[in-house]
Amino acid sequence: LHYAVLLACLFAMASSDGWVTEMHPDKFAGRTCLDGLRGRSMALRGGDSDEEEFGPERLIQELKDINLYRTTDGFTLESKPQFSLRTADQDEGVDYGAHGFMFNILAHGDIVITGIQICAADGGPFDYVIYTCPQPWEHVFQDEKKWTTCGSGFRVNLPDHAHGEYGPLPLADEGVKISAGQTRAFYIHSKNEDTAIGYRLLGDSSIFDGPFIDRKDKNVTERDANILIMTGTTFNDPIAFKKAQVDDLYRGFLGIIEYELDT
């Protein structure tokens, strides 16, 4: 039943000129396309699970992440491309940890942050909360009212920095949108230990020849075609937004930012 509903919705929306985004004459067509729709429908339902798990609300949410393309004799589905930007690793054997780390991400185009991965300096598991604010952290790092929670409620056992690996933090299913040209702040905090969040110590204001300082912009630690990851600061208190380390030291996010283009 739900497969029929999915199929009907997709073809109904495909007939609208505003919904079909692009012509692809070389894409899959005919029976291949129908098999793809059937497979996607089963995946959304969770394989052989009960159909009740795949209701109308979930259908609508899943369709937001699907691109439907018209072909010569049918239609094909494509998921949105996923991107990730991994930071350069800190020197081997050097670990820096804190209760909290706050940093900025600048977007060149409209994007959605879909995942954040970090490591702990040592120990675990820890409880993590992620906050976000639609402006640079330097303006609001002590004003908790300007921030909203975008991930919480999970106890996570992350890899420590000695392994050079990262693990995912709990992030809201809808992700966090960043508009083109916008700089948005993120704040990761753990109440448990001051080793819960690993970060990189990049140098002070008089040292700009380290391996992690971008030559074009000293406040940028990593970049790709779509986003810039910028320097941040640490917090050394179990209570969020307390005891920010504001000095002349440059500190960098350590981990992976996952995102997709918001088109």
Side-chain angles (χ1 to χ4, degrees), residues 188-209:
I188 306 167
H189 184 267
S190 175
K191 64 183 180 181
N192 304 113
E193 299 287 345
D194 61 4
T195 60
I197 302 167
Y199 68 95
R200 297 173 294 162
L201 190 58
L202 308 180
D204 61 35
S205 58
S206 64
I207 302 174
F208 296 120
D209 58 354

Side-chain angles (χ1 to χ4, degrees), residues 7-21 68-70 74-75:
L7 198 58
C9 289
L10 290 172
F11 277 93
M13 287 186 291
S15 64
S16 171
D17 292 339
W19 205 90
V20 178
T21 60
L68 181 66
Y69 298 101
R70 190 193 304 275
F75 300 89

Side-chain angles (χ1 to χ4, degrees), residues 40-142:
R40 177 65 175 173
S41 176
M42 289 299 294
L44 297 179
R45 285 175 47 196
D48 296 329
S49 61
D50 295 337
E51 291 192 8
E52 291 181 356
E53 298 179 4
F54 182 65
E57 291 184 1
R58 187 178 174 192
L59 171 62
I60 294 172
Q61 182 62 41
E62 293 291 344
L63 286 176
K64 293 179 181 178
D65 295 328
I66 297 174
N67 292 325
L68 181 66
Y69 298 101
R70 190 193 304 275
T71 65
T72 54
D73 60 348
F75 300 89
T76 187
L77 293 176
E78 255 184 32
S79 298
K80 288 184 178 180
Q82 302 295 310
F83 299 86
S84 65
L85 180 55
R86 181 188 177 104
T87 62
D89 291 329
Q90 180 59 284
D91 295 337
E92 184 177 356
V94 178
D95 296 323
Y96 298 96
H99 276 286
F101 191 80
M102 189 178 288
F103 64 102
N104 295 329
I105 296 178
L106 186 152
H108 292 308
D110 295 342
I111 67 165
V112 179
I113 302 298
T114 57
I116 298 177
Q117 297 191 37
I118 66 168
C119 66
D122 189 28
F126 299 123
D127 301 292
Y128 293 93
V129 180
I130 307 175
Y131 305 88
T132 187
C133 179
Q135 56 185 298
W137 67 265
E138 293 89 341
H139 303 158
V140 292
F141 67 94
Q142 290 181 315

